[in-house]
Amino acid sequence: MDSTSNLIIDSLKEEPIGETHHFIWFITDIGIVALFKKGENFETYSSNVDIEANEIALDITKEEKEYLQIKERQLFLFYS
């Protein structure tokens, strides 16, 4: 596993900054992580992530979005 994955996995052990219908949200050293709650299809999560970020007062509109799968966990990483 690479250092980015290790940073993200370590951050998932911390207290989340919020929770929405499809995601649990975390702050990491490299950006914001939206951890998928369930194994629904990718399109459902991708279309809801911006809306749900607004629900917990996160503005991710100017961030780069990257989909990652680490240790069977699916997530979006948002970074500048």
Side-chain angles (χ1 to χ4, degrees), residues 12-73:
L12 299 181
K13 297 172 186 170
E14 301 297 323
E15 188 73 27
I17 60 168
E19 190 170 334
T20 57
H21 182 72
H22 291 98
F23 302 98
I24 302 171
W25 298 84
F26 295 89
I27 295 291
T28 72
D29 290 339
I30 55 177
I32 297 169
V33 167
L35 178 66
F36 292 26
K37 283 185 169 178
K38 301 175 188 165
E40 294 179 38
N41 70 28
F42 174 82
E43 288 79 23
T44 300
Y45 282 93
S46 187
S47 64
N48 284 303
V49 71
D50 295 329
I51 296 165
E52 293 187 32
N54 285 329
E55 291 175 11
I56 59 169
L58 290 175
D59 182 7
I60 56 173
T61 57
K62 295 179 183 167
E63 305 294 320
E64 296 291 325
K65 177 172 84 172
E66 186 174 342
Y67 169 78
L68 300 170
Q69 189 166 0
I70 305 170
K71 289 189 171 184
E72 299 178 12
R73 296 178 179 173

